[in-house]
Amino acid sequence: MSDLNAESTAFRAALDAVRAVEPRIADAIAKELHDQRESLKLIASENYASPAVLLAMGNWLSDKYAEGTIGRRFYAGCQNVDTVESVAVEHAKALFGAEYAYVQPHSGIDANLVAYWAILADRVEVPYLKKFEKRQVNDLSDAEWAELRAAFGNQRMLGMSLDAGGHLTHGFRPNISGKMFDQRSYGVDAATGQIDYAALRETAKEFKPAVIVGGYSAYPRKVNFATMREIADEVGATFMVDMAHFAGLVAGKVFTGDFNPIAHAHIVTTTTHKSLRGPRGGAVFAGPELADQVDRGCPMVLGGPLAHVMAAKAIAFAEARRPEFADYAQRIVANSQALAEGLKQRGATLVSGGTDNHLVLIDVDKYGLTGRQAEQALLDSGIVTNRNAIPADPNGAWYTSGIRIGTPALTTRGLGVAEMDQIAELMHTVLGQTKAGASKAKFDLDPAVSDGVSKAANELLGGFPLYPSVDLGA
Ligand code: DSN
């Protein structure tokens, strides 16, 4: 059990120390807690980490350099970082049933870059550049590097399209993955809004990618990773899954069998702060064939590991191994489905007609709005969401036609299916009463409506205190 006084004392002492140097930073930290307590957070990629996770990050582990891997560092005196990283790895492997885990990535993009490098380095030595033995790939002359880059330039990636819910790091131009790889996308069936595996197979056969990427940041359905692995095997591709969004549902055994990426992919990446409810960071899981290359992530791709964040990852993985985390994961999905049902009953149109996971995508074009207008109208009414493209979006990636919502955070806070129906009512009230304005960003919403919804949202949250063990005082 958490000790209310101990946690409050710890956070108060930390803020006092910060305030003594720069009061504006202490105030911003304290205000962030206040603002999070007051807001109805439906951002699908956010959560509330436990006090133990948060406190594990605020200490002198931050002072240590430890480039390299466990027991093989480029700095002396890393025995405690070795312990921290080993314990994090031990929990991560047990949690996901993985053969190998790498817990150094600082973020999801870092985890994906480590994975991409591992895949390319592993593939390059065998089918293409036989003269480069695995151990030599990281120690080439300039001319050899030029040859290698040319080889990498020809590597192809097949990932989910952005408007179907894919992520920028899955081979899109604003991210370096879109420059490392020649990318082609798979999408969803226009009628069902769900992945069209037959079309994916056809594209893979024709395009012959080196890498097929599964995973998403805005797709509301389960993905059949067993089928995707079959397709990857048919075309000789490496199958990677980015499970950043749904790692908590894998850890909590909601996604099992064909839907468990660890069982089917060659390599799996994640962030640790979304549905997994840990600190802000990333991780990579792989079988033995890619583990050696992933271990080179630092210094190949990453700076020195953040030992304080690895400590917090260890705490989060340990928490997720407890039986109550499986219950939490089930409740995330039950809440998401209740929210989807509540919205549909009130006339909303949902991409794919519903959800199997933690997120719901509302087609706000059906309310005559852009995503940008809807996002701001909801925010003005105390409901925090984010706009997102929907399949074949007529408004593009900036204005969009969708609103993405998710339940990991509110489920942590304790809200259940009854509250989800109330939230559906509040959202439908805002979306139904907002009128599009003169531009794709402008809109009209009667302040009486936004104020009323904001008040109702606040009353709802009042029954579910956030961080109840933490009292920062007046
Ligand atoms: N920014 C994350 C999300 O909101 O889905 C993905 O990087």
Side-chain angles (χ1 to χ4, degrees), residues 247-272:
L249 304 185
V250 179
K253 309 278 185 290
V254 173
F255 288 169
T256 56
D258 291 353
F259 307 99
N260 173 8
I262 300 282
H264 300 288
H266 295 100
I267 188 162
V268 176
T269 61
T270 190
T271 54
T272 46

Side-chain angles (χ1 to χ4, degrees), residues 43-46 167 169 216-218 244-245 271 273-274 386 388 404:
I43 304 265
S45 49
E46 293 186 7
H167 192 254
T169 59
Y216 51 78
S217 61
H245 258 262
T271 54
H273 50 273
K274 297 186 174 87
N386 68 280
N388 210 101
R404 185 187 72 165

Side-chain angles (χ1 to χ4, degrees), residues 40-44 335-336 338-344 346-350 360-364 367 369 371 373-379 381-387 402-407 410 419-434 445 449-450 452-454 456-457 460:
L40 194 68
K41 176 149 95 170
L42 285 167
I43 304 265
N335 279 345
S336 181
L339 191 49
E341 203 45 46
L343 286 162
K344 276 199 319 192
R346 291 168 175 86
T349 300
L350 306 183
V360 176
L361 205 53
I362 309 170
D363 178 351
V364 293
Y367 286 100
L369 300 172
Q373 292 161 337
E375 177 189 80
Q376 189 61 45
L378 288 164
L379 189 63
S381 310
I383 302 175
V384 189
T385 66
N386 68 280
R387 65 186 188 280
I403 286 290
R404 185 187 72 165
I405 53 180
T407 54
L410 291 183
E419 289 76 34
M420 294 303 131
D421 193 59
Q422 293 178 52
I423 293 170
E425 174 66 23
L426 297 177
M427 292 189 74
H428 179 69
T429 299
V430 174
L431 295 173
Q433 304 224 16
T434 302
L445 176 61
V449 173
S450 51
V453 168
S454 206
L460 181 61

Side-chain angles (χ1 to χ4, degrees), residues 391-423:
D393 199 312
N395 285 317
W398 179 249
Y399 290 107
T400 81
S401 304
I403 286 290
R404 185 187 72 165
I405 53 180
T407 54
L410 291 183
T411 305
T412 294
R413 202 163 168 162
L415 282 76
V417 293
E419 289 76 34
M420 294 303 131
D421 193 59
Q422 293 178 52
I423 293 170

